[in-house]
Amino acid sequence: MAGVWAGRRRAMGLPALLLLALCAASARGLYFHIGETEKRCFIEEIPDETMVIGNYRTQMWDKQKEVFLPSTPGLGMHVEVKDPEGKVVLSRQYGSEGRFTFTSHTPGDHQICLHSNSTRMALFAGGRLYREERFRLISESTNQRVLWWSIAQTVILILTGIWQMRHLKSFFEAKKLV
C-alpha cells in the first residue's frame, strides 16, 4: 500500500509541477543598466485586459570600488507606457525602489520606457552631473556672446570702411584731385 501511495503522490506532483512550469514560462524578467541620462524602451506584445507588474530598483555605480551603492534620497525612476495606438497608458515618477502596474485595454505592442530622474539630482554620481550641466550652460552662453561680439565687430568694421571711403572721396573732391 505504501508503494501505491508513493506512486500516486508522484503522479499528482507531476501535473502540479507542469502547471508551475507553465506559470513560470508566462512570467518574464529583465535585468538591465540605464545610464544617468539614458532612456531605455521596450516593446512588448501584451493581450488586452492583462495586468502588467514591473519591479525595479535604482542604484548608483561606484567606479572606484566597482560596486553598486544604495541610491541617494530623491533618486527615482520615471515610467511611461504607450499602447499600440500611441496613447499614454501610464506616465509617472516613482521612488528609488518599488513597482509599477498597468492594465492593457487594447491588444498589441506596448512601448514601456524607463529613465532615471538623475538630471535633477545634485548629489548623483558625486555631483559630476550637475557640474557637467552647469559647465555646458556656461559654455553655450559664452559661445553665444562670442558669436554676437564677432558680428558686432564685423558690422563696425564695414561701417568704418564705408565712412572712410566717403570721407576720402569728399576730401579728394574738395582738393579737386578727382
Side-chain angles (χ1 to χ4, degrees):
M1 189 89 155
V4 172
W5 175 251
R8 283 188 184 164
R9 189 185 318 172
R10 254 187 260 136
M12 289 182 71
L14 187 60
L17 185 62
L18 286 174
L19 182 63
L20 180 64
L22 287 174
C23 289
S26 67
R28 289 185 277 165
L30 296 171
Y31 182 79
F32 57 91
H33 295 234
I34 296 179
E36 292 173 344
T37 57
E38 187 179 353
K39 183 176 185 178
R40 183 73 55 107
C41 294
F42 303 97
I43 296 176
E44 194 67 34
E45 186 173 345
I46 302 172
D48 63 336
E49 301 306 321
T50 302
M51 178 183 280
V52 178
I53 300 171
N55 295 313
Y56 68 91
R57 177 174 40 185
T58 57
Q59 295 177 314
M60 293 188 303
W61 177 253
D62 188 353
K63 287 185 180 181
Q64 285 83 19
K65 296 178 184 177
E66 294 189 358
V67 295
F68 285 104
L69 301 173
S71 64
T72 58
L75 179 64
M77 188 66 67
H78 184 267
V79 179
E80 183 176 85
V81 179
K82 293 182 182 177
D83 67 2
E85 298 166 357
K87 294 181 201 168
V88 176
V89 176
L90 173 71
S91 180
R92 187 170 166 206
Q93 188 73 32
Y94 290 93
S96 62
E97 185 173 350
R99 71 193 287 174
F100 61 90
T101 306
F102 70 93
T103 302
S104 65
H105 296 292
T106 55
D109 291 338
H110 287 66
Q111 182 182 27
I112 303 168
C113 295
L114 306 164
H115 60 90
S116 69
N117 64 349
S118 64
T119 56
R120 290 178 245 163
M121 292 294 302
L123 299 175
F124 191 79
R128 280 184 277 146
L129 181 65
Y130 256 20
R131 279 186 253 151
E132 178 184 338
E133 186 177 3
R134 188 174 63 230
F135 179 71
R136 182 181 51 82
L137 291 173
I138 291 171
S139 295
E140 288 175 359
S141 172
T142 303
N143 199 12
Q144 188 176 19
R145 289 179 191 166
V146 167
L147 174 70
W148 285 112
W149 178 249
S150 64
I151 290 172
Q153 282 183 328
T154 304
V155 168
I156 291 171
L157 183 65
I158 290 171
L159 291 175
T160 304
I162 292 171
W163 177 79
Q164 283 181 341
M165 288 193 317
R166 283 188 162 186
H167 184 68
L168 282 173
K169 183 179 178 184
S170 67
F171 174 76
F172 287 127
E173 286 176 350
K175 295 286 184 176
K176 297 185 181 176
L177 295 173
V178 178

